[in-house]
Amino acid sequence: MKSLTIIFVVLVALMQYPLWLGKGSWFRVWSLNQQIEIQKKTNNDNQIRNNVLNAEVSDLKQGFSAIEERARNELGMTKQDEIFFQVTNPEKDKKETEVLNNTKAKN
């Protein structure tokens, strides 16, 4: 009777092995579900970014106001007979200069 119990325990253990540690095991399924959730979040973030870019592209295609805004902000362009005033913060400029000097001194 004792040997029959040992045989049954061994058979049950052999049957449980693929469930827990095999190719389609619970651990593998759990791991794949985690990867799927991460990929879904990444896809959602990329979809939001794509929507913003699509809106910007359609805005650039439709009117000149978006182009003018980009030229002013990114390129510093002004209209003819327009006066441009730039207000600076001396303390901020001083800190930026110190950081640049420190990085140059290290190199």
Side-chain angles (χ1 to χ4, degrees):
M1 183 73 174
K2 187 175 183 181
S3 63
L4 190 59
T5 305
I6 293 174
I7 291 173
F8 282 134
V9 168
V10 169
L11 285 175
V12 168
L14 288 174
M15 289 173 54
Q16 290 290 316
Y17 175 80
L19 178 65
W20 296 103
L21 303 171
K23 188 174 182 180
S25 67
W26 286 107
F27 295 124
R28 176 113 169 105
V29 169
W30 180 80
S31 173
L32 289 174
N33 282 335
Q34 294 297 318
Q35 291 175 8
I36 288 170
E37 291 301 318
I38 291 169
Q39 189 62 46
K40 282 182 181 179
K41 184 183 181 318
T42 303
N43 290 348
N44 189 29
D45 293 344
N46 287 339
Q47 185 64 41
I48 292 169
R49 182 182 56 98
N50 287 345
N51 290 341
V52 169
L53 290 174
N54 284 335
E56 186 175 343
V57 166
S58 65
D59 192 28
L60 287 172
K61 285 182 179 179
Q62 289 177 357
F64 290 106
S65 62
I67 296 171
E68 181 180 341
E69 179 185 345
R70 274 196 112 140
R72 286 175 177 274
N73 290 335
E74 295 177 9
L75 302 175
M77 300 179 95
T78 59
K79 291 182 180 178
Q80 189 174 5
D81 297 329
E82 185 177 52
I83 299 173
F84 176 73
F85 292 97
Q86 183 175 5
V87 179
T88 62
N89 184 350
E91 292 178 15
K92 183 179 176 186
D93 292 342
K94 183 179 177 183
K95 289 179 183 178
E96 289 176 358
T97 305
E98 289 175 2
V99 169
L100 287 175
N101 289 338
N102 288 340
T103 56
K104 286 181 183 178
K106 289 179 183 178
N107 292 333

